[in-house]
Amino acid sequence: MIVNPYKLQMKTQPSPQETDTVNRYSAHYEAQLDPFSAFNSKERQRKYAQLSGPDKATLIMGRFILSNKVARMFTFFYAIFLHLLVMLVLFRLINTAACEWDTYADCSHKFSEHMQIFHLHQNGRSNITHI
């Protein structure tokens, strides 16, 4: 008579702690065996090593901002604030430049009137009296 050794073993339920441990390590073990994930991680490391210093700093800051909710909110409101500030400065500059242009045009007109009235030769002689 042939006895199947698998039927003789008692089936016991693993504890929840053992199940969590087995699941965690089995997922980690399977991830290490996957050739695509290994290739992906090696490629990431190779590309990161090729980056220059400013590129690495930009990547680190981008990862930080995208991973942190407070940093995302700060960046959003900071960008809104900067846009509003630039629009306000441009608005003020346009209005001030328009006012100065009007003043320049008015001054130029008055100067030309003054030159025509007091300093142009009329009938071959000047209106300027010399001392």
Side-chain angles (χ1 to χ4, degrees):
M1 177 170 158
I2 299 175
V3 178
N4 189 349
Y6 295 111
K7 289 186 178 181
L8 295 176
Q9 292 179 352
M10 294 183 67
K11 293 186 178 182
T12 60
Q13 295 292 332
S15 69
Q17 182 181 8
E18 289 175 351
T19 305
D20 292 339
T21 305
V22 169
N23 288 339
R24 181 178 48 184
Y25 286 117
S26 66
H28 181 67
Y29 177 73
E30 290 173 7
Q32 285 181 342
L33 292 180
D34 183 22
F36 297 109
S37 65
F39 174 75
N40 187 15
S41 66
K42 286 180 183 177
E43 277 297 306
R44 281 179 178 247
Q45 289 174 354
R46 185 181 67 81
K47 288 288 188 184
Y48 186 77
Q50 290 178 348
L51 291 177
S52 65
D55 289 336
K56 285 182 183 179
T58 303
L59 182 64
I60 290 169
M61 287 300 296
R63 285 180 182 169
F64 172 73
I65 290 171
L66 291 175
S67 68
N68 190 340
K69 182 180 179 180
V70 175
R72 284 192 307 268
M73 294 298 287
F74 175 77
T75 304
F76 174 74
F77 286 115
Y78 183 69
I80 295 292
F81 171 74
L82 286 180
H83 280 81
L84 291 175
L85 182 65
V86 167
M87 284 190 278
L88 177 69
V89 168
L90 289 175
F91 179 74
R92 295 278 305 199
L93 182 66
I94 288 169
N95 286 335
T96 304
C99 182
E100 287 176 1
W101 183 255
D102 290 343
T103 304
Y104 174 76
D106 188 41
C107 181
S108 175
H109 179 69
K110 287 183 180 180
F111 179 74
S112 70
E113 284 180 352
H114 172 78
M115 291 300 289
Q116 286 177 357
I117 293 172
F118 295 105
H119 300 287
L120 286 180
H121 299 286
Q122 294 178 351
N123 297 330
R125 65 175 245 212
S126 168
N127 287 339
I128 301 175
T129 56
H130 296 286
I131 301 177

